[in-house]
Amino acid sequence: MDFVKIALLGLISVVAVLVIRQLKQELTVPLIIGVSVVILTLLCDELFDLVYAFYNFSNDAKIDSQAISCVIKVVGIGYIAEFTNNICIDANCKSIGDKVLLASKIAIMFCVLPMVEKLFALIKDLAL
């Protein structure tokens, strides 16, 4: 991953946002969203490689792929929620960002529910 390119893009974008904020306030939020999407696009290949690495580790360790899938989904939901919340805060819509964070927490609970169910079934089997 070429993090230096992403960091430079971020710094240049911040300067652009500060300049545009002085000239035309309404263009700052689309610029922030656009730059954020470009940065995420630059990260996509790396993210796919990372996910495949986790699946390979789980296969080698004979770990249930559902558990690894759950972990990856939870991390992904967390990152997307934080990303969205930060954009909402930049747009002076903190209350919407808070609702996104609440929704992400509920989505995470639904994501881990099958794993919790397996855990309780295992505890029940051990108790008998």
Side-chain angles (χ1 to χ4, degrees):
M1 171 172 42
D2 200 358
F3 179 73
V4 174
K5 286 181 185 177
I6 294 172
L8 286 173
L9 176 62
L11 289 174
I12 292 168
S13 301
V14 167
V15 171
V17 166
L18 292 175
V19 169
I20 289 175
R21 189 173 282 155
Q22 304 266 330
L23 303 173
K24 238 174 167 25
Q25 177 79 23
E26 62 271 7
L27 293 179
T28 57
V29 172
L31 177 61
I32 291 169
I33 292 172
V35 169
S36 299
V37 169
V38 168
I39 289 172
L40 285 177
T41 303
L42 292 172
L43 289 173
C44 277
D45 287 337
E46 311 302 331
L47 289 173
F48 287 126
D49 291 342
L50 188 63
V51 168
Y52 287 129
F54 274 107
Y55 279 114
N56 288 336
F57 295 152
S58 71
N59 284 339
D60 292 343
K62 307 271 192 279
I63 297 173
D64 184 15
S65 64
Q66 185 181 14
I68 296 298
S69 177
C70 180
V71 169
I72 291 170
K73 286 178 186 177
V74 166
V75 170
I77 290 169
Y79 282 147
I80 291 170
E82 181 181 358
F83 172 78
T84 305
N85 182 48
N86 289 337
I87 288 177
C88 291
I89 290 170
D90 288 343
N92 292 324
C93 297
K94 185 180 179 320
S95 63
I96 294 173
D98 290 342
K99 287 7 170 237
V100 169
L101 290 177
L102 175 63
S104 71
K105 292 172 185 174
I106 292 170
I108 287 171
M109 290 299 294
F110 275 112
C111 186
V112 300
L113 192 60
M115 300 308 297
V116 172
E117 184 179 12
K118 281 185 175 183
L119 178 65
F120 279 116
L122 181 64
I123 291 171
K124 181 180 172 186
D125 288 345
L126 290 175
L128 296 176

